[in-house]
Amino acid sequence: MLYSEVHGQKLSLLGFGAMRLPTKSDGSIDEATTKAMVDRAMAAGVNYYDTAYPYHGGLSEVVLANCLRDYPRESYFLADKYPGHQIAETYDPSEIFEDQLKKCGVEYFDYYLLHNVYEKSVEVYTDPKWGIIDYFKEQKRLGRIRHLGFSSHASVDCLRAFLDAFGSDMEFCQIQLNYLDWTLENARAKYELLTERGIPVWVMEPLRGGKLASLGIEDTAGLRALRPDESTAAWSFRFLQGLSNVAVVLSGMSAPDQLEDNLKTFASRDPLAEGERSLVLDIAESLKDAIPCTACRYCCDGCPAGLDIPMLLSVYNNIRYAPTTNTAMVIEALPPEKQPTACIGCGACSAVCPQKIDIPTHLREFSETLAKIPSWAEICRQRAEAAKKLKEQAKH
């Protein structure tokens, strides 16, 4: 097993993510399979385990704790997250934190994260009304949190602003990073910013929700020809092994065979050679089906609505690849007059676009697509209701 030396600790480069645990046909967590996978991971040297308050309807923490209960507390590192991105009046930091410690059966968290700091939630995390950051800094002082950090799907500008204000309090940052999002989500700029600030990077979504583990026949054959003994998924991890500031790569393994493949990959460090790296980045470009915006910004000067058209098209390119709430929330955080629905369809933008892009049509299609994606507020409402039901069931 490969390890990273971070904060004076030896962390396994492969982290066990508990967002996509094995499930049964009824959707409940398959605890027996999960326990077998955790036992196998521990035996192979995996010592970093990551969960969060909303995962699996609030049960991920409990199941992971049950799986780790037989092991000495000092033999593994446990990470959990505070759900400030889905804050509600009932989400008191101390109440949730105490509940998490109880559910996980521990007296402290090795690593604790502010969950999903982005354009909208950053206002919650930094609002004195909630006192979130001060509360968790105090928990760290008390030794109940050993290392404090945050996860983020934010833009580079939002990430930079948060680091300017609170970077001295953050010891690590978890971002979505893979060879597709290196350009699609501008992950390269985020990685470089964090590296410049001396903040180690934790990786989430290394396989883009499994999409990079299942490429087309032609792309798969091309990779197999160069590395016959490695899986398609391994290429994503080898890409990350070439980034020196990546300390932990979280993989949401849902089955034993996925774990075994990852253990094989993380048994040795074999980062992609330059030609191999160019190949996967070319594959990433072919996956995008992107609107060819070059961000020249000629379109912005004459837009009567004052829209940031290149930014909107960039987000739309991401959603065209995979329509997810995590991507759509970037638009949700914008004021209504800056969202794609504010486009009046005048065509002034298209008239000056060097790429001859039919911008009004794309913005209309973008708006129609967004209307079909559940908002983050709706997701949070559903999760809050599910958590409430679980608490009521537990009382009985």
Side-chain angles (χ1 to χ4, degrees):
M1 175 57 57
L2 297 174
Y3 293 93
S4 301
E5 293 286 343
V6 187
H7 307 309
Q9 296 174 319
K10 188 177 178 182
L11 308 181
S12 57
L13 185 57
L14 173 62
F16 194 111
M19 186 175 74
R20 299 186 179 97
L21 296 175
T23 56
K24 300 177 181 178
S25 58
D26 62 359
S28 64
I29 299 173
D30 185 336
E31 297 192 39
T33 300
T34 301
K35 179 65 167 68
M37 289 176 63
V38 169
D39 289 343
R40 175 72 179 103
M42 287 291 289
V46 176
N47 63 12
Y48 190 94
Y49 295 83
D50 170 274
T51 185
Y53 190 72
Y55 291 173
H56 285 280
L59 293 177
S60 172
E61 294 164 319
V62 176
V63 171
L64 188 59
N66 289 339
C67 293
L68 292 169
R69 183 167 290 132
D70 295 336
Y71 296 95
R73 181 63 184 88
E74 66 276 8
S75 67
Y76 61 88
F77 300 102
L78 182 62
D80 209 337
K81 309 179 187 74
Y82 176 74
H85 63 306
Q86 55 183 69
I87 200 74
E89 290 295 332
T90 56
Y91 278 20
D92 175 75
S94 62
E95 180 182 342
I96 289 182
F97 185 68
E98 296 297 339
D99 187 36
Q100 289 178 303
L101 288 171
K102 183 178 179 181
K103 288 165 69 178
C104 291
V106 296
E107 296 182 352
Y108 65 91
F109 290 113
D110 300 279
Y111 290 84
Y112 197 81
L113 300 85
L114 308 179
H115 199 170
N116 195 7
V117 174
Y118 76 106
E119 282 76 358
K120 195 168 185 177
S121 67
V122 71
E123 298 174 3
V124 173
Y125 280 120
T126 59
D127 190 338
K129 168 186 176 182
W130 301 104
I132 295 172
I133 294 178
D134 285 342
Y135 173 78
F136 289 120
K137 285 170 61 178
E138 175 64 9
Q139 299 312 302
K140 180 184 173 185
R141 188 189 71 79
L142 295 172
R144 304 176 83 200
I145 293 173
R146 300 297 168 85
H147 301 285
L148 181 62
F150 68 107
S151 67
S152 179
H153 289 279
S155 67
V156 177
D157 289 342
C158 179
L159 183 60
R160 181 181 293 109
F162 182 75
L163 291 174
D164 287 344
F166 299 100
S168 61
D169 299 315
M170 300 293 117
E171 297 178 84
F172 65 105
C173 178
Q174 189 167 302
I175 61 172
Q176 183 168 309
L177 178 58
N178 51 65
Y179 65 77
L180 173 66
D181 288 318
W182 191 244
T183 52
L184 185 58
E185 282 270 4
N186 206 12
R188 176 176 182 172
K190 298 174 188 179
Y191 170 82
E192 291 176 346
L193 172 63
L194 291 165
T195 302
E196 289 169 4
R197 298 296 179 96
I199 297 177
V201 171
W202 269 228
V203 172
M204 56 180 160
E205 299 292 356
L207 297 175
R208 232 337 171 108
K211 290 183 179 293
L212 299 183
S214 181
L215 301 175
I217 295 175
E218 184 176 339
D219 290 333
T220 300
L223 299 181
R224 188 61 55 82
L226 293 175
R227 294 195 179 207
D229 297 327
E230 294 210 308
S231 66
T232 303
W235 280 76
S236 295
F237 296 121
R238 297 301 187 195
F239 174 82
L240 295 170
Q241 287 180 9
L243 303 176
S244 60
N245 193 37
V246 168
V248 175
V249 179
L250 293 167
S251 182
M253 298 165 282
S254 303
D257 63 320
Q258 296 173 1
L259 172 61
E260 291 300 330
D261 187 51
N262 286 352
L263 292 177
K264 176 183 176 184
T265 302
F266 283 87
S268 63
R269 186 179 295 276
D270 188 11
L272 301 183
E274 187 58 37
E276 295 172 327
R277 194 170 184 276
S278 296
L279 174 59
V280 296
L281 292 176
D282 286 344
I283 289 175
E285 290 302 314
S286 71
L287 294 173
K288 290 180 184 178
D289 183 30
I291 299 165
C293 173
T294 62
C296 67
R297 304 192 70 82
Y298 293 165
C299 56
C300 297
D301 295 337
C303 177
L307 299 179
D308 187 343
I309 296 171
M311 182 275 290
L312 293 175
L313 292 181
S314 175
V315 177
Y316 186 33
N317 276 335
N318 198 338
I319 285 182
R320 280 158 65 97
Y321 175 74
T324 65
T325 299
N326 274 343
T327 302
M329 69 186 180
V330 175
I331 303 302
E332 184 184 342
L334 297 173
E337 65 272 16
K338 296 301 179 182
Q339 296 185 16
T341 50
C343 173
I344 63 175
C346 68
C349 49
S350 294
V352 297
C353 177
Q355 308 303 319
K356 308 301 180 186
I357 299 171
D358 184 356
I359 297 171
T361 295
H362 285 305
L363 292 182
R364 185 182 69 252
E365 293 171 346
F366 187 12
S367 298
E368 293 170 352
T369 301
L370 285 172
K372 301 174 184 177
I373 301 174
S375 69
W376 191 247
E378 175 61 20
I379 295 285
C380 293
R381 185 191 65 77
Q382 293 174 359
R383 287 178 174 175
E385 288 184 357
K388 183 178 179 180
K389 289 181 181 179
L390 286 171
K391 286 184 178 181
E392 291 175 350
Q393 290 172 3
K395 290 179 182 179
H396 299 293

